[in-house]
Amino acid sequence: MDKQTITIYDVAREASVSMATVSRVVNGNPNVKPATRKKVLEVIDRLDYRPNAVARGLASKKTTTVGVIIPDVTNIYFSSLARGIDDVATMYKYNIILANSDENGQKEIQVLNTLLAKQVDGVIFMGNQITDSIRAEFARSKTPIVLAGSVDADEQVASVNIDYVEAIEEATSTLVRHGNQKIAFVTGSLSEPINGQYRLKGYKKALTQAKIAYDPNLVFETEYSYKAGEAIWDRVKAAGATAAVIGDDELAIGLLNGAGDDGVNIPDDFELITSNDSKLTEISRPKMSSITQPLYDIGAVAMRLLTKMMNKEDVDNQTILLPYGIVERGTTK
Amino acid sequence: MDKQTITIYDVAREASVSMATVSRVVNGNPNVKPATRKKVLEVIDRLDYRPNAVARGLASKKTTTVGVIIPDVTNIYFSSLARGIDDVATMYKYNIILANSDENGQKEIQVLNTLLAKQVDGVIFMGNQITDSIRAEFARSKTPIVLAGSVDADEQVASVNIDYVEAIEEATSTLVRHGNQKIAFVTGSLSEPINGQYRLKGYKKALTQAKIAYDPNLVFETEYSYKAGEAIWDRVKAAGATAAVIGDDELAIGLLNGAGDDGVNIPDDFELITSNDSKLTEISRPKMSSITQPLYDIGAVAMRLLTKMMNKEDVDNQTILLPYGIVERGTTK
DNA sequence: TAAATAAATGCAAGCGTTTTAAATGCTTTT
DNA sequence: AAAAGCATTTAAAACGCTTGCATTTATTTA
């Protein structure tokens, strides 16, 4: 019924050459006489032949597809990275298999395995928690892997990020400079290295430098969501904070609106700096001051790095830090 | 060097059975004696054998992966659909190859072709414009295709949507009922059927029913972006509109902020209803009244429909309309 | 012009599975 | 106890392409 598929063999027959020759012209191999190439190309065109990538993958052991594990496409931070990834993937003729993990260790492992079963040439992993089991899976496979916007405490696996400790330190210092003494630090789970190690460290460094005592009651651990931000406002307020550094934009906008709905004037009564400079920062009112991160570029660079690894070029630096900045918009004085 | 891969043949040898038998136990074929199955399973476990999906795909002519063409993952409307798609895909053991098209006809065709070359079992297409050339590509392949959140004027290809004309009609009527006579209709390109045919039709129907003359000057055609929304406020204001129905949330929030920044009091001086009920509607201040669409479900249902088609079950209804609603939040009186 | 070298092309062996037809064992029947 | 009938299992042919090596053809060189 649907036995309508044209194979390389059909082309070879029609053009009266061997499959090898057809394969060569399809793959742009220069060792083909121009006249032959032309003849083959005509037949390909006439028969509307389309090489079967699966067969090609089996024979060549390359699928030109990479796996992308993402916590949630719906989160603008990650989708921005994903867009960067896809664009450079396309540029290098790769396709991406996108899989949502919900940051669930179980799912991550499971998904990683099906990606490897599908023989992806490489994988890009996003997720704030690199558990030991996932690290074990990474190690077990010889497939190149790079983390995008996600840190590995051990720096064993390639990654591209910004310097989170410096960035948060600078953000916090900005708030200090504006006269704030009680600055809340609100972010996701502290068990995630990016929060518990890097960001927290930056936060503490800024406090130390300003000779402000570190107060655990000003550290708020929640989840990355708008609702969580709205919900946590009361606690932040109760703690007496006059400003906050926040680890995620959705979370930040939640907190911002929570405060605003509570009648607090921002930035006069309360200042706030968020972390990802996604679209959301321009959308809120007032617009949010933020650490600026080149989200798209982080994804793009991660993918570029991966192409090098897949190509077995050796890379000088496995852990790349891209430059960040601070933009002050309406939520800081 | 990396010749470390274990094949079904290795398992067969170690378990002293044939490849066929191993294949059967791997695929859960019941025609295997329990004792044999156990033995094979043990070897699989011991050797840490992982079936090669590419080889499997070649032999079985099924890749258990579907292609997903999306305008831009970064757009919350589409990423919401994508999430629904991925979730049910996973549920049915499929993976998705995600490709951004930027609604660029050229890219769409190109991407569709590489997806087909990769032998995806089906494809889900998102994009507001089904050009003739893309339709031709659809027709040319026997691969099942379904549109998600995208209409095909001819209803030739399967799709999942809401009833856009009714929805916009209802939104517009709501605004009329609130006393507005000059209601702007702002959306993306009118050359896209969803706008130029469906939504516009709903808008006109509501006006006709309210005996309000249709005024082309109140129809604004722009692009789906925050910036575009901010930018168009001046024109909407100049046209003397007292309310607007808007085709996209990012666009709407742009318009909303544009008006707000201009000192306009919403909803007292200007009312607005947007279309997609994405997260953004809750994030804006005031929160936006909106047509409610089950975005996630549209994606999920589209994927479910696709699984049926890939499975050659016959489906009763190719063009599915999911229920919508209207929520009035802070941008309507 | 024969020999040597280089350029094109063809052969055929994989790549790792699935799958069909055939073979082998075991039980049951009669 | 031979014939039948089932349940298992095996052998081997695809699946559609890449690729190393051999072969043929064209081009130089001497």
Side-chain angles (χ1 to χ4, degrees):
Chain A
M1 185 55 61
D2 52 12
K3 188 77 231 71
Q4 204 46 264
T5 63
I6 318 236
T7 75
I8 196 173
Y9 180 76
D10 298 313
V11 176
R13 179 168 31 70
E14 288 293 308
S16 33
V17 296
S18 70
M19 286 165 40
T21 298
V22 177
S23 173
R24 288 196 189 89
V25 349
V26 166
N27 292 295
N29 184 315
N31 296 2
V32 180
K33 189 161 44 165
T36 310
R37 182 189 309 283
K38 180 153 174 290
K39 180 173 59 176
V40 172
L41 249 19
E42 281 170 1
V43 175
I44 286 180
D45 197 51
R46 177 155 61 78
L47 264 44
D48 195 24
Y49 165 69
R50 196 190 277 133
N52 179 321
V54 172
R56 204 199 288 239
L58 183 57
S60 69
K61 292 170 167 297
K62 286 187 193 324
T63 53
T64 62
T65 107
V66 311
V68 175
I69 299 177
I70 193 174
D72 183 9
V73 239
T74 262
N75 179 308
I76 185 80
Y77 172 75
F78 292 116
S79 65
S80 299
L81 298 183
R83 187 62 211 262
I85 294 168
D86 187 42
D87 281 1
V88 350
T90 300
M91 197 175 300
Y92 285 88
K93 311 287 186 204
Y94 285 91
N95 286 105
I96 67 177
I97 296 187
L98 202 279
N100 293 90
S101 70
D102 288 318
E103 301 244 28
N104 171 153
Q106 193 89 50
K107 263 194 196 171
E108 287 170 341
I109 291 184
Q110 134 95 16
V111 125
L112 177 60
N113 276 311
T114 95
L115 289 176
L116 293 177
K118 292 209 169 170
Q119 313 298 115
V120 294
D121 295 336
V123 356
I124 293 204
F125 183 93
M126 294 177 265
N128 293 309
Q129 188 91 277
I130 314 290
T131 63
D132 285 339
S133 33
I134 199 79
R135 200 201 313 289
E137 294 295 325
F138 284 176
R140 198 153 72 81
S141 98
K142 277 312 313 160
T143 308
I145 296 194
V146 2
L147 308 179
S150 316
V151 296
D152 173 24
D154 300 355
E155 296 205 353
Q156 288 311 296
V157 11
S159 65
V160 4
N161 289 283
I162 61 164
D163 186 327
Y164 300 109
V165 0
E166 272 192 18
I168 289 288
E169 179 182 358
E170 191 169 334
T172 308
S173 294
T174 301
L175 259 13
V176 168
R177 209 177 319 118
H178 291 189
N180 296 286
Q181 288 285 314
K182 304 195 76 170
I183 301 170
F185 171 59
V186 6
T187 188
S189 170
L190 293 178
S191 69
E192 297 173 1
I194 191 175
N195 296 319
Q197 297 184 221
Y198 300 66
R199 286 175 172 150
L200 187 55
K201 185 172 174 186
Y203 171 71
K204 285 179 175 173
K205 279 178 74 174
L207 294 185
T208 302
Q209 202 184 334
K211 306 208 191 322
I212 297 177
Y214 167 70
D215 177 1
N217 292 317
L218 286 172
V219 174
F220 299 87
E221 194 175 358
T222 181
E223 56 177 44
Y224 301 121
S225 78
Y226 177 78
K227 294 287 177 210
E230 270 192 337
I232 215 161
W233 164 247
D234 285 339
R235 291 177 45 208
V236 172
K237 179 187 183 186
T242 61
V245 210
I246 305 167
D248 175 82
D249 291 354
E250 275 193 47
L251 184 55
I253 206 168
L255 186 62
L256 172 65
N257 285 344
D261 294 350
D262 191 23
V264 173
N265 183 300
I266 291 182
D268 295 340
D269 302 340
F270 191 89
E271 290 185 81
L272 157 178
I273 297 185
T274 183
S275 290
N276 302 334
D277 197 36
S278 64
K279 286 180 188 172
L280 296 182
T281 60
E282 302 265 1
I283 280 177
S284 68
R285 281 300 174 274
K287 295 181 184 176
M288 294 188 284
S289 299
S290 179
I291 290 169
T292 58
Q293 290 194 47
L295 298 186
Y296 179 92
D297 294 349
I298 290 178
V301 170
M303 183 64 210
R304 179 64 183 106
L305 175 56
L306 186 61
T307 63
K308 286 183 184 162
M309 293 170 65
M310 292 187 295
N311 215 29
K312 300 202 191 319
E313 303 174 24
D314 40 24
V315 298
D316 32 314
N317 190 358
Q318 282 235 318
T319 101
I320 299 181
L321 292 182
L322 260 28
Y324 66 89
I326 302 269
V327 246
E328 295 205 40
R329 285 191 272 247
T331 59
T332 45
K333 295 180 200 167
Chain B
M1 182 60 55
D2 52 10
K3 188 77 229 73
Q4 204 48 266
T5 62
I6 316 242
T7 75
I8 196 174
Y9 180 76
D10 298 314
V11 176
R13 179 168 31 69
E14 289 291 309
S16 33
V17 296
S18 71
M19 287 165 39
T21 298
V22 176
S23 175
R24 287 198 192 86
V25 349
V26 166
N27 292 296
N29 183 315
N31 295 0
V32 179
K33 191 162 41 167
T36 310
R37 181 189 309 282
K38 181 153 174 289
K39 180 173 58 175
V40 172
L41 248 18
E42 280 171 1
V43 174
I44 286 181
D45 196 52
R46 176 155 61 78
L47 265 43
D48 195 22
Y49 164 70
R50 197 190 277 133
N52 179 321
V54 173
R56 207 200 290 240
L58 182 57
S60 68
K61 291 169 168 298
K62 286 188 193 325
T63 54
T64 62
T65 108
V66 311
V68 175
I69 299 177
I70 193 174
D72 182 8
V73 238
T74 262
N75 180 308
I76 185 79
Y77 172 74
F78 292 116
S79 64
S80 299
L81 297 184
R83 187 61 212 261
I85 293 169
D86 187 42
D87 282 0
V88 350
T90 299
M91 195 174 304
Y92 285 88
K93 311 288 186 203
Y94 285 91
N95 285 106
I96 66 177
I97 295 188
L98 202 278
N100 293 90
S101 71
D102 288 318
E103 302 243 26
N104 171 153
Q106 193 89 50
K107 264 193 194 171
E108 287 170 341
I109 290 184
Q110 133 96 17
V111 125
L112 177 59
N113 277 310
T114 94
L115 288 177
L116 293 177
K118 292 211 169 169
Q119 313 297 119
V120 294
D121 296 335
V123 356
I124 293 205
F125 183 93
M126 294 177 264
N128 293 310
Q129 186 92 277
I130 314 289
T131 64
D132 285 340
S133 33
I134 199 79
R135 201 201 313 290
E137 293 294 326
F138 284 175
R140 198 152 71 80
S141 100
K142 276 313 313 161
T143 308
I145 297 193
V146 1
L147 309 178
S150 316
V151 296
D152 173 23
D154 299 355
E155 297 205 352
Q156 287 311 296
V157 11
S159 65
V160 179
N161 291 283
I162 62 163
D163 187 326
Y164 301 109
V165 0
E166 270 192 20
I168 289 288
E169 178 181 0
E170 190 169 334
T172 310
S173 294
T174 301
L175 259 13
V176 168
R177 208 176 320 119
H178 291 191
N180 296 286
Q181 288 284 315
K182 303 195 77 169
I183 300 171
F185 172 58
V186 6
T187 188
S189 169
L190 292 179
S191 69
E192 297 172 1
I194 190 176
N195 296 319
Q197 295 185 225
Y198 299 67
R199 286 175 172 149
L200 187 56
K201 185 171 174 188
Y203 172 71
K204 285 179 174 171
K205 279 179 75 174
L207 294 184
T208 303
Q209 200 185 335
K211 305 210 191 321
I212 297 177
Y214 168 70
D215 177 1
N217 293 316
L218 286 173
V219 174
F220 299 87
E221 194 174 0
T222 182
E223 56 178 43
Y224 300 122
S225 76
Y226 177 78
K227 294 286 177 211
E230 271 192 337
I232 215 160
W233 165 247
D234 284 339
R235 291 178 45 209
V236 172
K237 180 186 181 184
T242 62
V245 209
I246 305 168
D248 175 81
D249 291 352
E250 276 194 46
L251 184 55
I253 204 168
L255 185 63
L256 172 65
N257 285 343
D261 294 351
D262 192 23
V264 173
N265 185 300
I266 290 181
D268 295 341
D269 301 341
F270 191 88
E271 290 185 82
L272 158 178
I273 298 186
T274 184
S275 289
N276 303 335
D277 196 38
S278 64
K279 286 181 190 173
L280 296 182
T281 59
E282 302 265 0
I283 280 177
S284 69
R285 281 301 174 274
K287 295 181 184 175
M288 294 188 285
S289 299
S290 179
I291 290 168
T292 58
Q293 292 194 43
L295 299 185
Y296 179 93
D297 294 348
I298 289 178
V301 170
M303 182 64 209
R304 178 64 183 106
L305 174 56
L306 186 61
T307 63
K308 285 183 186 163
M309 292 169 67
M310 293 188 295
N311 216 30
K312 300 202 191 319
E313 303 172 25
D314 40 23
V315 298
D316 31 314
N317 190 0
Q318 282 235 317
T319 100
I320 299 181
L321 293 182
L322 260 30
Y324 66 89
I326 303 267
V327 246
E328 294 206 42
R329 285 191 272 247
T331 59
T332 46
K333 295 178 203 170

